[in-house]
Amino acid sequence: MNLLSALRRGPWSARLLWLAAGVVLGLGLAAALVALSWGWPRLVGPGPALPEAQVARLEALGRQALETEDIPVAALLVYRGEVIGAGHNTVRAHHDAGGHAEIQAISEALRRYGEPEFFKLERGEMELITTFEPCPMCQGAIAMYGIGKVTYLGSKPLGRHLELEQARLRYLWTRRWVRPEDLQQRLFELHPSWPKGAKAP
């Protein structure tokens, strides 16, 4: 049975078909992501050592996290050799779910330049250096802000990669799309810089 004939059989058969296809695609994608994120770095091995000044800065930042019993992860955002943002974990200190070192470093750079100027920087010359392999939340921030290169010192074990991919699949499985669909569009249109007639990105 091809896809078109399945769709003609009615909504339930079509939904089941798409569900099965989604499960197969999701499992395949999860396996590919684990292989890429965990296997590839171990295949090529670690690169050269960081400059001593950067290592010292990272260690000092990590020790700051320990003062509030936060997990001692530190990060630097470097642009053309200059540190433009730095951060360490502040989840416990600030009761902030987004208080991860990588997000703190990006946020400091945003405050330093302002958002318009920050986005004018050459993304390919921007490097995020972190003491620990970024989590999915930080990976999302790195992607959203177009950071061109990521360098990490400590890597996550295979078991942790599998747990994170399981959580990603759980999110995809449990999310719901509800109405009214146009609420977000109406909110976008209230923003003073929103182009007239533009659709949601």
Side-chain angles (χ1 to χ4, degrees), residues 61-73:
L61 287 166
R63 289 179 179 275
Q64 287 182 43
L66 287 171
E67 294 174 5
T68 53
E69 297 186 0
D70 272 289
I71 297 175
V73 177

Side-chain angles (χ1 to χ4, degrees), residues 19 23 25 28 37 42 48 57 105 112-113 137 144 148 151 162 167 198-199:
L19 177 61
V23 169
L25 181 62
S37 61
R42 284 157 181 77
R57 181 84 180 273
R112 174 178 178 177
Y113 286 93
M137 179 175 69
M144 287 294 295
T151 300
L162 292 173
K199 297 298 182 182

